[in-house]
Amino acid sequence: MKYEDLKIVQKWREYAGPKDERLEAESAKIYKIGFVLLSFGMLMIFFYQFIARQVAWVHSDASEMPHGFATPFEVAMYLWLVLVMLICAGLQTRKGYVDTNRFGQTEHLPVGYFLLLSGLSGAAFALVIAAMRCIAEAQIVPLESVFWLANLATGVFCGATIFAATFAGLCATFFTAKRRRAKLEAEFDSTDDI
Amino acid sequence: MPGKKNLRMKAARAAAGLSQADLAEAVGVTRQTIGLIEAGGYNPTLNLCVAICKVLRVTLNDLFWEDETDADPNTL
Protein backbone atom coordinates (compact mmCIF):
# COMPACT_ATOMS: atom_id res chain seq x y z
CA MET A 1 0.00 0.00 0.00
CA LYS A 2 1.30 3.40 -0.95
CA TYR A 3 1.70 6.20 1.55
CA GLU A 4 -0.78 8.36 -0.43
CA ASP A 5 -3.45 5.63 -0.21
CA LEU A 6 -3.56 5.69 3.58
CA LYS A 7 -6.89 7.00 4.84
CA ILE A 8 -5.31 9.19 7.47
CA VAL A 9 -3.12 10.81 4.79
CA GLN A 10 -6.13 11.44 2.56
CA LYS A 11 -8.08 12.93 5.48
CA TRP A 12 -5.15 15.19 6.31
CA ARG A 13 -4.93 16.37 2.69
CA GLU A 14 -8.65 17.15 2.66
CA TYR A 15 -8.18 19.15 5.84
CA ALA A 16 -4.92 20.93 4.96
CA GLY A 17 -5.72 21.53 1.29
CA PRO A 18 -3.40 21.18 -1.70
CA LYS A 19 0.30 21.92 -1.41
CA ASP A 20 1.66 25.02 -3.04
CA GLU A 21 4.43 23.84 -5.38
CA ARG A 22 6.37 27.11 -5.02
CA LEU A 23 6.38 26.83 -1.23
CA GLU A 24 7.52 23.22 -1.51
CA ALA A 25 10.36 24.26 -3.82
CA GLU A 26 11.33 27.13 -1.51
CA SER A 27 11.22 24.80 1.51
CA ALA A 28 13.43 22.27 -0.27
CA LYS A 29 16.04 24.98 -0.87
CA ILE A 30 15.85 26.15 2.75
CA TYR A 31 16.14 22.60 4.12
CA LYS A 32 19.12 22.01 1.84
CA ILE A 33 20.91 25.00 3.34
CA GLY A 34 19.89 23.83 6.81
CA PHE A 35 21.17 20.31 6.17
CA VAL A 36 24.58 21.52 5.01
CA LEU A 37 24.97 24.00 7.88
CA LEU A 38 23.76 21.55 10.52
CA SER A 39 25.60 18.44 9.40
CA PHE A 40 28.94 19.96 8.42
CA GLY A 41 28.85 22.41 11.33
CA MET A 42 28.24 19.64 13.85
CA LEU A 43 30.91 17.46 12.25
CA MET A 44 33.44 20.28 12.48
CA ILE A 45 32.59 20.94 16.15
CA PHE A 46 32.82 17.25 17.05
CA PHE A 47 35.99 17.00 15.06
CA TYR A 48 37.58 19.93 16.86
CA GLN A 49 36.66 18.43 20.22
CA PHE A 50 38.19 15.11 19.19
CA ILE A 51 41.41 16.79 17.96
CA ALA A 52 41.65 19.00 21.06
CA ARG A 53 41.51 15.94 23.31
CA GLN A 54 44.03 14.07 21.20
CA VAL A 55 46.43 17.03 21.20
CA ALA A 56 46.04 17.45 24.97
CA TRP A 57 46.84 13.76 25.37
CA VAL A 58 49.98 14.12 23.22
CA HIS A 59 51.17 17.03 25.37
CA SER A 60 50.58 15.11 28.56
CA ASP A 61 52.86 12.10 28.87
CA ALA A 62 50.72 10.15 26.35
CA SER A 63 51.18 7.12 28.53
CA GLU A 64 47.58 6.04 28.87
CA MET A 65 47.09 3.41 26.17
CA PRO A 66 44.66 2.71 24.68
CA HIS A 67 43.03 6.11 24.96
CA GLY A 68 39.51 7.12 23.90
CA PHE A 69 39.10 10.64 22.56
CA ALA A 70 35.32 10.50 22.25
CA THR A 71 32.63 9.27 24.61
CA PRO A 72 30.21 6.58 23.40
CA PHE A 73 27.53 9.27 23.16
CA GLU A 74 29.75 11.39 20.89
CA VAL A 75 30.64 8.37 18.78
CA ALA A 76 26.92 7.67 18.37
CA MET A 77 26.36 11.28 17.26
CA TYR A 78 29.25 11.04 14.77
CA LEU A 79 27.90 7.81 13.37
CA TRP A 80 24.38 9.21 13.12
CA LEU A 81 25.61 12.23 11.14
CA VAL A 82 27.62 10.05 8.80
CA LEU A 83 24.69 7.67 8.43
CA VAL A 84 22.35 10.53 7.49
CA MET A 85 24.81 11.71 4.84
CA LEU A 86 25.14 8.17 3.48
CA ILE A 87 21.35 7.80 3.36
CA CYS A 88 21.10 11.04 1.34
CA ALA A 89 23.81 9.83 -1.06
CA GLY A 90 22.04 6.47 -1.31
CA LEU A 91 18.68 8.08 -2.10
CA GLN A 92 20.36 10.19 -4.77
CA THR A 93 21.96 7.21 -6.45
CA ARG A 94 18.64 5.34 -6.34
CA LYS A 95 17.25 8.12 -8.53
CA GLY A 96 20.09 7.42 -10.97
CA TYR A 97 22.34 10.44 -10.60
CA VAL A 98 25.38 11.56 -8.64
CA ASP A 99 25.33 15.31 -9.20
CA THR A 100 23.01 17.96 -10.60
CA ASN A 101 25.35 19.33 -13.26
CA ARG A 102 26.37 17.93 -16.66
CA PHE A 103 28.39 15.17 -14.99
CA GLY A 104 25.34 13.90 -13.12
CA GLN A 105 24.26 11.30 -15.69
CA THR A 106 27.23 10.71 -17.97
CA GLU A 107 27.83 7.27 -19.48
CA HIS A 108 31.58 7.34 -18.86
CA LEU A 109 33.18 7.90 -15.50
CA PRO A 110 34.01 11.64 -15.24
CA VAL A 111 37.50 10.98 -13.87
CA GLY A 112 38.73 14.56 -14.16
CA TYR A 113 35.67 16.00 -12.42
CA PHE A 114 35.81 13.42 -9.63
CA LEU A 115 39.55 14.00 -9.18
CA LEU A 116 38.86 17.73 -8.94
CA LEU A 117 36.13 17.23 -6.29
CA SER A 118 38.25 14.73 -4.37
CA GLY A 119 41.30 16.98 -4.60
CA LEU A 120 39.37 19.99 -3.30
CA SER A 121 37.91 17.89 -0.45
CA GLY A 122 41.31 16.47 0.43
CA ALA A 123 43.02 19.88 0.33
CA ALA A 124 40.23 21.49 2.40
CA PHE A 125 40.38 18.72 5.03
CA ALA A 126 44.18 18.84 5.14
CA LEU A 127 44.10 22.56 5.87
CA VAL A 128 41.20 22.30 8.34
CA ILE A 129 42.79 19.42 10.26
CA ALA A 130 46.22 21.10 10.39
CA ALA A 131 44.64 24.41 11.45
CA MET A 132 42.43 22.76 14.08
CA ARG A 133 45.41 20.93 15.56
CA CYS A 134 47.48 24.11 15.70
CA ILE A 135 44.61 26.11 17.25
CA ALA A 136 43.91 23.34 19.78
CA GLU A 137 47.60 23.13 20.71
CA ALA A 138 47.92 26.89 21.04
CA GLN A 139 45.17 26.77 23.69
CA ILE A 140 47.19 24.51 25.98
CA VAL A 141 50.92 25.13 25.29
CA PRO A 142 53.04 28.18 24.39
CA LEU A 143 53.34 28.89 20.66
CA GLU A 144 56.97 27.73 20.56
CA SER A 145 55.86 24.29 21.77
CA VAL A 146 53.27 23.83 19.02
CA PHE A 147 54.16 20.99 16.62
CA TRP A 148 53.59 23.01 13.45
CA LEU A 149 55.21 20.63 11.00
CA ALA A 150 53.80 17.53 12.67
CA ASN A 151 50.33 19.08 12.50
CA LEU A 152 50.81 19.92 8.84
CA ALA A 153 52.02 16.38 8.16
CA THR A 154 49.00 14.95 10.00
CA GLY A 155 46.73 17.24 7.96
CA VAL A 156 48.37 16.17 4.70
CA PHE A 157 48.12 12.49 5.61
CA CYS A 158 44.42 12.84 6.57
CA GLY A 159 43.79 14.96 3.45
CA ALA A 160 45.37 12.30 1.24
CA THR A 161 43.25 9.60 2.92
CA ILE A 162 40.11 11.70 2.43
CA PHE A 163 41.09 12.34 -1.20
CA ALA A 164 41.35 8.60 -1.86
CA ALA A 165 38.16 7.79 0.08
CA THR A 166 36.19 10.55 -1.66
CA PHE A 167 37.37 9.44 -5.09
CA ALA A 168 36.50 5.81 -4.32
CA GLY A 169 33.11 6.84 -2.92
CA LEU A 170 32.30 8.98 -5.96
CA CYS A 171 33.27 6.15 -8.33
CA ALA A 172 31.15 3.67 -6.35
CA THR A 173 28.11 6.00 -6.37
CA PHE A 174 28.63 6.68 -10.08
CA PHE A 175 28.50 2.99 -11.00
CA THR A 176 25.58 2.34 -8.63
CA ALA A 177 23.66 5.29 -10.10
CA LYS A 178 24.46 4.11 -13.62
CA ARG A 179 23.08 0.63 -12.91
CA ARG A 180 20.00 2.14 -11.27
CA ARG A 181 19.51 4.50 -14.23
CA ALA A 182 19.67 1.59 -16.66
CA LYS A 183 16.95 -0.14 -14.64
CA LEU A 184 14.75 2.97 -14.64
CA GLU A 185 15.27 3.45 -18.38
CA ALA A 186 14.34 -0.19 -19.01
CA GLU A 187 11.07 0.46 -17.17
CA PHE A 188 10.44 3.56 -19.32
CA ASP A 189 11.04 1.49 -22.45
CA SER A 190 8.58 -1.23 -21.44
CA THR A 191 5.86 -1.73 -24.01
CA ASP A 192 3.06 -2.34 -21.50
CA ASP A 193 1.35 0.96 -22.24
CA ILE A 194 1.46 0.63 -26.04
CA MET B 1 12.68 39.59 -10.42
CA PRO B 2 14.74 37.10 -12.46
CA GLY B 3 12.15 36.34 -15.20
CA LYS B 4 10.01 38.25 -17.60
CA LYS B 5 6.64 39.61 -16.49
CA ASN B 6 3.65 37.58 -17.66
CA LEU B 7 1.31 40.40 -18.58
CA ARG B 8 -0.84 38.08 -20.72
CA MET B 9 -1.71 36.04 -17.66
CA LYS B 10 -2.52 39.19 -15.72
CA ALA B 11 -4.77 40.39 -18.56
CA ALA B 12 -6.50 37.01 -18.87
CA ARG B 13 -7.13 36.92 -15.13
CA ALA B 14 -8.58 40.43 -15.19
CA ALA B 15 -10.71 39.51 -18.21
CA ALA B 16 -12.05 36.51 -16.28
CA GLY B 17 -12.96 38.85 -13.42
CA LEU B 18 -10.71 37.09 -10.93
CA SER B 19 -8.40 38.56 -8.34
CA GLN B 20 -5.02 36.96 -7.64
CA ALA B 21 -6.52 35.48 -4.49
CA ASP B 22 -9.49 34.01 -6.43
CA LEU B 23 -7.22 32.41 -9.02
CA ALA B 24 -4.88 31.14 -6.31
CA GLU B 25 -7.74 29.46 -4.47
CA ALA B 26 -9.09 27.95 -7.69
CA VAL B 27 -5.76 26.28 -8.55
CA GLY B 28 -4.73 25.45 -4.98
CA VAL B 29 -1.73 27.72 -4.44
CA THR B 30 -1.07 30.86 -2.43
CA ARG B 31 -1.79 34.34 -3.70
CA GLN B 32 1.94 35.11 -3.58
CA THR B 33 2.61 32.30 -6.07
CA ILE B 34 0.17 33.80 -8.60
CA GLY B 35 1.66 37.24 -7.99
CA LEU B 36 5.17 35.91 -8.52
CA ILE B 37 4.22 34.12 -11.76
CA GLU B 38 2.73 37.35 -13.12
CA ALA B 39 5.75 39.32 -11.97
CA GLY B 40 8.19 36.83 -13.51
CA GLY B 41 9.60 35.77 -10.15
CA TYR B 42 8.54 32.13 -10.28
CA ASN B 43 8.62 29.58 -13.09
CA PRO B 44 5.56 27.32 -12.56
CA THR B 45 5.43 23.61 -13.34
CA LEU B 46 3.45 22.40 -16.33
CA ASN B 47 0.76 21.05 -13.99
CA LEU B 48 0.20 24.48 -12.50
CA CYS B 49 0.26 26.15 -15.93
CA VAL B 50 -2.46 23.77 -17.12
CA ALA B 51 -4.54 24.36 -13.99
CA ILE B 52 -4.31 28.15 -14.45
CA CYS B 53 -5.26 27.86 -18.13
CA LYS B 54 -8.29 25.72 -17.29
CA VAL B 55 -9.55 28.20 -14.71
CA LEU B 56 -9.02 31.17 -17.05
CA ARG B 57 -10.43 29.20 -20.02
CA VAL B 58 -7.43 29.88 -22.22
CA THR B 59 -4.74 27.68 -23.75
CA LEU B 60 -1.13 27.24 -22.72
CA ASN B 61 -0.13 29.06 -25.91
CA ASP B 62 -2.24 32.05 -24.93
CA LEU B 63 -0.44 32.50 -21.63
CA PHE B 64 2.94 30.87 -21.76
CA TRP B 65 4.16 30.50 -25.35
CA GLU B 66 6.61 33.10 -26.51
CA ASP B 67 7.33 33.77 -30.17
CA GLU B 68 10.91 34.64 -30.99
CA THR B 69 9.84 38.26 -31.42
CA ASP B 70 8.37 38.25 -27.89
CA ALA B 71 11.35 36.59 -26.28
CA ASP B 72 13.91 38.47 -24.28
CA PRO B 73 16.79 39.22 -26.67
CA ASN B 74 19.29 38.53 -23.88
CA THR B 75 18.21 34.89 -23.76
CA LEU B 76 18.63 34.26 -27.49
Side-chain angles (χ1 to χ4, degrees), chain A:
Chain A
M1 188 183 221
K2 282 184 180 175
Y3 165 76
E4 294 85 19
D5 297 334
L6 292 172
K7 257 194 173 163
I8 192 166
V9 175
Q10 289 173 352
K11 284 275 176 203
W12 173 255
R13 291 213 170 139
E14 278 174 30
Y15 169 69
K19 288 180 182 174
D20 185 318
E21 61 171 44
R22 182 182 62 86
L23 298 183
E24 279 194 305
E26 296 286 354
S27 294
K29 281 185 206 165
I30 292 165
Y31 286 134
K32 185 180 168 186
I33 294 168
F35 172 78
V36 171
L37 289 177
L38 182 70
S39 54
F40 284 95
M42 284 183 76
L43 271 181
M44 286 297 115
I45 292 165
F46 277 139
F47 211 47
Y48 179 78
Q49 188 186 39
F50 179 86
I51 285 174
R53 284 180 188 156
Q54 198 266 337
V55 164
W57 175 72
V58 168
H59 278 281
S60 63
D61 59 359
S63 58
E64 191 190 330
M65 292 289 276
H67 192 88
F69 301 115
T71 66
F73 176 76
E74 288 161 355
V75 170
M77 288 289 284
Y78 264 124
L79 290 177
W80 177 247
L81 278 175
V82 173
L83 183 67
V84 168
M85 290 177 174
L86 287 176
I87 287 171
C88 289
L91 290 173
Q92 195 170 288
T93 51
R94 273 182 65 80
K95 299 287 180 187
Y97 67 99
V98 288
D99 209 329
T100 49
N101 56 27
R102 71 189 179 97
F103 299 107
Q105 296 204 335
T106 50
E107 283 308 303
H108 301 288
L109 186 73
V111 179
Y113 177 63
F114 283 175
L115 282 174
L116 178 68
L117 286 185
S118 309
L120 289 174
S121 303
F125 267 92
L127 287 174
V128 165
I129 289 168
M132 277 184 175
R133 290 185 68 84
C134 291
I135 292 167
E137 266 191 295
Q139 312 288 316
I140 53 173
V141 293
L143 281 181
E144 54 270 21
S145 302
V146 172
F147 300 135
W148 302 101
L149 281 178
N151 292 340
L152 186 63
T154 307
V156 169
F157 174 77
C158 292
T161 308
I162 285 162
F163 165 77
T166 306
F167 186 72
L170 285 171
C171 291
T173 51
F174 173 83
F175 289 116
T176 310
K178 191 177 173 183
R179 274 197 304 275
R180 181 69 189 168
R181 195 160 62 243
K183 199 177 166 191
L184 290 170
E185 283 167 4
E187 286 172 17
F188 297 152
D189 292 338
S190 82
T191 54
D192 295 351
D193 297 334
I194 298 172

Side-chain angles (χ1 to χ4, degrees), chain B:
Chain B
M1 294 293 169
K4 193 181 169 189
K5 284 186 178 179
N6 194 333
L7 298 176
R8 283 178 290 170
M9 180 171 148
K10 197 170 185 176
R13 177 176 58 74
L18 296 173
S19 66
Q20 286 186 344
D22 296 333
L23 179 57
E25 192 177 344
V27 297
V29 296
T30 59
R31 191 202 145 181
Q32 286 76 18
T33 299
I34 298 297
L36 279 167
I37 296 169
E38 289 182 357
Y42 175 62
N43 200 4
T45 63
L46 187 55
N47 284 342
L48 182 54
C49 291
V50 170
I52 290 168
C53 287
K54 281 182 176 172
V55 170
L56 298 180
R57 296 182 183 281
V58 291
T59 65
L60 284 168
N61 275 6
D62 294 334
L63 295 194
F64 298 105
W65 183 258
E66 285 187 352
D67 287 329
E68 282 185 23
T69 50
D70 296 337
D72 182 353
N74 294 327
T75 61
L76 295 176

